[in-house]
Amino acid sequence: MDAAAERKMQFLYQLRSKGVTDKAVLLAMEKIDRGPFVQGLFAERAYEDTPLPIACGQTISQPSVVGLMTQALKVTPRDKVLEVGTGSGYQAAILSCLARRVYTADRHRRLVHAARAIFAELDLVNITAFTADGSYGLKEQAPFDRILVTAAAEDPPGPLLAQLKIGGIMVVPVGQSDAVQSLIRVTRHERGFDYDELRPVRFVPLLEGLGDT
Ligand code: SAH
């Protein structure tokens, strides 16, 4: 086996051992190479199961956490998905393999531009990336079947709850930014919302307004 194939096998093994068992999610994570989403100094660590620094003081999430969040979102091929917190674009790329359409927003213009370039390079034509404060969602494209927030909010943002379809699912890390947070799954019903607490996580905070770069 060549080095790249062995690295990939090891990568998938780590995902499975941490509880990523959904076949479609594992296939998407096999297909989307994390390498291009990690640039510069840390590129050689792209296949480790660890978060890594990216531009604008942000991080690309740990692969097993990406897998577990994606699995918790229960994406189907007909879904229109909103991701808040594009970061490197890695999570959006995984979602694009599972969903019909993916919209992703980040408050840093520079991250959105870099992610768009990778989506184009990989021919991921069903993702649209926006520079925006994603806590307000994306009114023009609402409602969404699925919403994934990849930054920690103190509470699930109201506008995002409002933009979730009946029967829709949102996964969001909730808690103070400097503490351990809980990953919450919100399911919308005819008459309200159900909340499930899934696991402890640690994400950068969901901030207000646009970034300087
Ligand atoms: N999903 C990313 C990792 C996200 S890190 C990946 O796969 O690489 C969290 C991201 O959320 C950061 O890029 C940060 O800029 C962004 N963010 C924080 N607050 C935000 C807000 N209000 N609206 C949009 N993006 C936000």
Side-chain angles (χ1 to χ4, degrees):
M1 199 187 305
D2 66 10
E6 185 152 346
R7 222 169 39 197
K8 182 133 263 180
M9 220 179 73
Q10 186 65 26
F11 182 77
L12 292 166
Y13 172 77
Q14 286 189 61
L15 294 176
R16 274 191 239 103
S17 72
K18 294 198 177 151
V20 184
T21 51
D22 184 288
K23 285 225 176 68
V25 173
L26 284 167
L27 261 177
M29 295 187 77
E30 184 174 354
K31 181 170 163 217
I32 302 293
D33 184 355
R34 192 171 182 242
F37 296 92
V38 183
Q39 271 152 18
L41 272 180
F42 293 94
E44 62 188 42
R45 301 185 56 190
Y47 305 97
E48 293 177 24
D49 190 29
T50 180
L52 292 169
I54 55 173
C56 305
Q58 303 302 315
T59 52
I60 176 171
S61 311
Q62 185 175 347
S64 57
V65 172
V66 170
L68 291 167
M69 287 176 89
T70 309
Q71 191 166 281
L73 200 62
K74 300 181 186 168
V75 181
T76 80
R78 300 177 56 174
D79 288 344
K80 179 162 70 168
V81 183
L82 172 66
E83 181 199 24
V84 177
T86 311
S88 66
Y90 179 62
Q91 171 76 74
I94 306 284
L95 290 169
S96 80
C97 300
L98 301 166
R100 176 171 57 85
R101 199 82 188 72
V102 177
Y103 295 91
T104 181
D106 204 286
R107 59 191 291 280
H108 286 289
R109 205 178 333 120
R110 180 171 163 200
L111 293 176
V112 170
H113 288 164
R116 274 185 193 146
I118 305 176
F119 300 151
E121 180 73 26
L122 300 181
D123 214 18
L124 303 175
V125 295
N126 63 338
I127 314 179
T128 310
F130 293 89
T131 305
D133 180 342
S135 4
Y136 297 95
L138 212 59
K139 263 214 176 109
E140 317 80 71
Q141 299 301 336
F144 297 96
D145 301 286
R146 300 288 185 267
I147 300 179
L148 181 58
V149 185
T150 63
E154 294 199 8
D155 290 300
L160 296 183
L161 291 172
Q163 291 178 24
L164 195 58
K165 276 189 196 165
I166 309 278
I169 298 175
M170 169 157 81
V171 171
V172 51
V174 170
Q176 302 287 336
S177 59
D178 50 356
V180 173
Q181 308 134 7
S182 280
L183 192 64
I184 306 285
R185 177 166 54 203
V186 185
T187 309
R188 183 165 196 177
H189 297 295
E190 293 280 351
R191 269 176 249 94
F193 298 91
D194 271 354
Y195 294 84
D196 289 319
E197 197 171 328
L198 302 178
R199 64 193 309 272
V201 281
R202 195 171 184 135
F203 276 84
V204 297
L206 190 71
L207 298 175
E208 271 181 42
L210 295 186
D212 303 332
T213 55

